[in-house]
Amino acid sequence: MAHTGRVLVIGANGQLGVELTDALVDRYGQDRVIPSDITASDRENFVTLDVLNVEQLKDIVKENQVSDVYLLAALLSARGEQNPMWAWRINMDGLLNVLELVREGLVRKIFWPSSIAVFGQTTPKVNTPQETIISPETMYGITKLAGERLCAYYSKKFNADVRSLRYPGLVGHRALPGGGTTDYAVDIYHKAVAGEVYHCFLMANTRLPFLYMSDAVRATLELMQAPSDQITVYSSYNLMGFSTTPAEITASIQQHIPGFTIEYEPDFRQQIADSWPESIDDQQAREDWGWQAKIGLNEMTWDMLTNLEKRQATLVK
Ligand code: SER
């Protein structure tokens, strides 16, 4: 089917939203992409939207002839632990409001991110399979588990085209993440470029799966563009980039900035990280729609440092 409607990005000011919106504009054209967020922006076509406001959401969808929705607005793991009820409301009611749009025939396709946070202590930690024990221990993870089941339910029951990825930790230089456990892997580069010591809230050898932003954006577009007969997972696809630790990221930064130092001061986020897998088996995504990550730890370090140094040089001028 030819793509004729507009694309609504909810949470367009966030870490992923900023970059995904640009990629969607490149693909569909400025006129066809409506970025939205609860906080203001001067982006073209931007609309302010609270995803909990159903009437406002429906009005925007109808006024702009939206056919595809990318729902990125969410509270992440660490912030969710500080306000579990708020995390439940934003993450669950937001998703249900958007799923209802497709059931009511107002939009044709939805993208919604799940996360490695659906897994827990009893899940196999290495090469975690697509189908395995799902036992989240954070409110964020619980909302992602419930969300995955809702996506599968709406797909099966109402024939809705809902697609989802279980993102590992995402790292990018464009926007700061907010409130996640994997966010150390973004902050560390900012501190390195600023010439500061990084105080890490996880222990040196905490191994977690990551995906660099360019790969995350490409995975999202590839999944959304895949013909529907190639999709076999209606909950959420496992996705993997590479696996690393604070100590390994430090060593890779030190290849470029030898004086960079890190101090380990684990806090409540250590327990969250300890409940997540070290690496993910994404074979199903590879088989179904040809997924393949391109960026590893050293490419990520080079790209993060180069871009953050460029930005710092512009600010100093
Ligand atoms: N990056 C997220 C977090 O750390 C996990 O999906 O909360």
Side-chain angles (χ1 to χ4, degrees):
M1 188 168 85
H3 188 282
T4 50
R6 290 204 172 89
V7 174
L8 175 65
V9 183
I10 302 175
N13 295 349
Q15 187 201 13
L16 174 61
V18 166
E19 306 214 23
L20 188 61
T21 302
D22 283 350
L24 290 165
V25 166
D26 283 347
R27 175 157 183 95
Y28 296 116
Q30 190 76 64
D31 185 47
R32 303 256 307 275
V33 180
I34 316 289
S36 76
D37 205 292
I38 197 158
T39 56
S41 160
D42 52 14
R43 279 194 97 117
E44 205 155 320
N45 299 337
F46 181 87
V47 288
T48 306
L49 170 64
D50 175 355
V51 72
L52 298 181
N53 186 335
V54 182
E55 290 316 313
Q56 191 190 21
L57 175 62
K58 281 190 184 169
D59 286 348
I60 288 170
V61 162
K62 287 181 194 160
E63 278 162 22
N64 294 286
Q65 287 118 37
V66 169
S67 63
D68 296 9
V69 179
Y70 291 73
L71 171 56
L72 310 178
L75 244 65
L76 296 186
S77 59
R79 203 145 162 232
E81 288 314 278
Q82 284 155 346
N83 201 334
M85 286 312 294
W86 190 32
W88 178 264
R89 270 198 79 215
I90 302 274
N91 297 2
M92 294 319 320
D93 290 351
L95 174 59
L96 275 166
N97 290 346
V98 171
L99 286 171
E100 280 294 283
L101 296 174
V102 79
R103 188 179 67 82
E104 289 172 21
L106 291 171
V107 305
R108 60 155 210 159
K109 204 174 194 178
I110 292 171
F111 175 79
W112 174 80
S114 184
S115 157
I116 52 162
V118 291
F119 302 121
Q121 286 289 357
T122 52
T123 308
K125 274 199 180 301
V126 177
N127 284 331
T128 304
Q130 176 70 45
E131 296 297 335
T132 185
I133 299 163
I134 304 273
S135 52
E137 286 160 35
T138 58
M139 180 55 96
Y140 174 69
I142 292 168
T143 65
K144 291 298 182 189
L145 163 57
E148 284 192 7
R149 298 324 310 160
L150 284 171
C151 290
Y153 176 81
Y154 273 73
S155 298
K156 201 167 169 200
K157 185 112 183 167
F158 306 119
N159 207 17
D161 194 349
V162 186
R163 303 187 184 192
S164 177
L165 297 170
R166 285 177 183 149
Y167 289 128
L170 300 184
V171 180
H173 59 83
R174 286 278 305 282
L176 282 174
T181 302
T182 56
D183 294 357
Y184 87 84
V186 179
D187 295 339
I188 193 169
Y189 289 104
H190 285 264
K191 292 293 183 297
V193 168
E196 294 173 24
V197 176
Y198 181 58
H199 299 269
C200 186
F201 56 76
L202 297 182
M203 289 189 302
N205 296 321
T206 310
R207 184 168 295 283
L208 290 168
F210 286 92
L211 193 62
Y212 197 49
M213 192 56 80
S214 53
D215 273 343
V217 167
R218 186 169 53 80
T220 310
L221 296 184
E222 285 176 6
L223 172 71
M224 287 297 270
Q225 282 151 25
S228 43
D229 59 4
Q230 285 178 12
I231 305 296
T232 64
V233 174
Y234 297 99
S235 51
S236 190
Y237 276 97
N238 271 9
L239 198 66
M240 178 66 183
F242 58 94
S243 197
T244 195
T245 66
E248 287 175 0
I249 298 181
T250 302
S252 100
I253 292 174
Q254 284 166 341
Q255 287 174 17
H256 303 270
I257 308 175
F260 175 63
T261 55
I262 184 165
E263 283 169 15
Y264 297 101
E265 294 160 15
D267 65 14
F268 73 100
R269 289 168 280 193
Q270 183 66 47
Q271 204 182 341
I272 300 177
D274 287 343
S275 74
W276 290 351
E278 293 182 3
S279 56
I280 302 289
D281 178 354
D282 60 5
Q283 189 58 30
Q284 199 64 53
R286 291 163 183 270
E287 275 171 26
D288 287 1
W289 42 277
W291 165 244
Q292 199 170 1
K294 289 186 180 159
I295 307 289
L297 171 58
N298 289 330
E299 290 100 334
M300 169 172 93
T301 295
W302 187 85
D303 202 64
M304 285 296 285
L305 294 178
T306 309
N307 282 290
L308 291 176
E309 276 163 6
K310 250 189 243 161
R311 189 177 321 156
Q312 202 183 39
T314 330
L315 290 177
V316 170
K317 263 185 207 164

